[in-house]
Amino acid sequence: MKFFQAVGTCVLALSSLVSAATFTNPLRAKDGADPHISYSGGYYYLMTTTWSDLRITRAKTLGGLKTGETKTVWKDTTASRCCNVWAPELHFLDGAWYIYYSAGQSANLDLQRPHVLKGGANPFDAYTYHAQLTNTWGIDGSIVRFSKWGNHFVWSCITNNVQALCIAPLTAPGKIGATKILSQPTQSWEKNEKPVMEGPAAMYHGGKTYLAYSASYCWTPNYSLGLLTWDNNGDPALAKSWSKSGPLLTSGNGNYGPGHNGFFTSPDGKEIWNVFHATAIQKGACDGNRYTMAQKVNWNANGTPNFGSPLKLGTSLAGPSGE
Ligand SMILES: *[C@@H]1O[C@H](CO)[C@@H](O)[C@H](O)[C@H]1NC(C)=O
């Protein structure tokens, strides 16, 4: 009996060696806020908010990002965009990689603007300054792609004195068309301490376009993910073409204020993954005390995304399929 149990254990150990890579969260323990991951050419590329510059870390496995090769790709002394460098995202458009990010002046946060850098065919190529996208306050710019309606720029803007989401056609990687208000924080879960909608992130599944965003003030444990859904009907630049649901990712298992996410696909393209930040501080945090977590997106029977709950740090998770 003893003998057979030992053999069984041995077989289990071997089979876990040959199955997909496992990893644990957090992927970045400190300064892991506003994470964004792109998978391209055999590498995951991770960017988070550093406040002072733009850095990209790459690795061949998700867990490898913890110790991956890191390159500082941008630092700027231009007064209008020197400081408070937030929320960088890599997007591939017209044959080149672009980094969309927020930055402003050293004095305060009232002059934050969305900016974009232009790179090359590989995310690790050199970047040059490309453009500022708005002349009014704006942060957390991201791209949503529509086959019929073209690429759009979405970001957090100020309207009626609150942080809402705005949308505009992206007429070129550094240029937007007419701005419209996409959605305003009207639900109680979007108004904890302050009404806020920020950090939009798009994903595509089952013929629908989903735009996740972060709701409520970031210095609370109630910062969470909400979702806007466009079901392929009507001009996506119009608020009425989207429906709102949430909150769909909230504090859990010792992780507080989960939000400001990004989506990426697994190496085999079969899974969608959610990368987001959270903090271990119970009253919430909006500084370097936020870490980066990644979890697979699951799907409800009715086809809607299920983000689950942020799992306890250190839980062993299967890596993305195709690793
Ligand atoms: C805010 O989050 C905390 C911690 O998770 C929770 O105890 C509290 O009930 C939440 N408040 C609201 C209004 O949702």
Side-chain angles (χ1 to χ4, degrees):
M1 197 60 194
K2 273 253 158 61
F3 172 74
F4 285 108
Q5 269 174 358
V7 168
T9 309
C10 199
V11 168
L12 272 179
L14 277 175
S15 67
S16 62
L17 274 179
V18 293
S19 65
T22 59
F23 75 100
T24 57
N25 283 314
L27 296 179
R28 178 162 294 166
K30 228 184 140 42
D31 286 339
D34 313 333
H36 189 264
I37 290 178
S38 291
Y39 184 83
S40 175
Y43 287 95
Y44 296 90
Y45 293 87
L46 168 67
M47 300 188 80
T48 62
T49 289
T50 70
W51 275 273
S52 57
D53 57 17
L54 296 172
R55 292 173 217 170
I56 306 177
T57 298
R58 76 172 180 186
K60 294 198 159 173
T61 61
L62 200 54
L65 286 170
K66 293 178 189 184
T67 53
E69 183 187 359
T70 297
K71 197 166 167 177
T72 300
V73 294
W74 194 251
K75 193 162 172 63
D76 203 326
T77 51
T78 310
S80 62
R81 53 174 194 260
C82 63
C83 304
N84 302 303
V85 183
W86 297 342
E89 299 193 3
L90 273 164
H91 293 277
F92 191 72
L93 296 159
D94 305 338
W97 286 94
Y98 289 84
I99 298 176
Y100 289 85
Y101 66 103
S102 318
Q105 304 193 14
S106 60
N108 57 51
L109 303 177
D110 297 339
L111 293 158
Q112 293 293 91
R113 302 283 185 269
H115 298 274
V116 60
L117 305 178
K118 184 177 186 181
N122 185 297
F124 256 27
D125 288 346
Y127 288 85
T128 52
Y129 185 77
H130 193 62
Q132 178 178 315
L133 286 121
T134 71
N135 291 319
T136 50
W137 193 91
I139 60 166
D140 299 350
S142 193
I143 308 298
V144 201
R145 300 167 192 258
F146 303 97
S147 47
K148 177 176 158 205
W149 302 86
N151 294 336
H152 281 62
F153 188 62
V154 283
W155 72 103
S156 182
C157 54
I158 291 183
T159 176
N160 301 326
N161 286 319
V162 303
Q163 251 183 274
L165 293 182
C166 281
I167 188 166
L170 190 74
T171 53
K175 204 169 180 326
I176 59 171
T179 295
K180 292 193 169 74
I181 299 170
L182 180 61
S183 189
Q184 295 181 276
T186 52
Q187 309 293 305
S188 61
W189 52 271
E190 296 174 307
K191 298 198 281 192
N192 280 289
E193 210 154 310
K194 269 212 288 207
V196 174
M197 292 175 85
E198 60 184 17
M203 66 151 160
Y204 316 90
H205 184 80
K208 296 188 179 182
T209 297
Y210 295 101
L211 196 62
Y213 62 92
S214 302
S216 288
Y217 188 41
C218 63
W219 282 103
T220 70
N222 307 98
Y223 197 65
S224 61
L225 285 189
L227 194 69
L228 295 177
T229 302
W230 180 73
D231 61 6
N232 216 349
N233 244 319
D235 182 350
L238 299 178
K240 67 173 188 202
S241 304
W242 297 78
S243 59
K244 183 184 284 189
S245 54
L248 296 178
L249 182 72
T250 57
S251 296
N253 305 304
N255 308 291
Y256 297 92
H260 202 130
N261 75 317
F263 294 109
F264 61 98
T265 44
S266 57
D268 64 7
K270 288 182 180 160
E271 297 170 348
I272 297 177
W273 280 68
N274 182 17
V275 60
F276 56 95
H277 71 231
T279 179
I281 299 170
Q282 282 187 34
K283 61 182 202 318
C286 199
D287 56 10
N289 289 306
R290 291 172 293 178
Y291 43 75
T292 305
M293 303 180 74
Q295 292 182 195
K296 187 165 83 103
V297 175
N298 290 303
W299 303 96
N300 297 315
N302 65 0
T304 57
N306 188 329
F307 300 130
S309 186
L311 300 170
K312 192 174 181 302
L313 293 186
T315 304
S316 179
L317 301 172
S321 63
E323 258 192 11

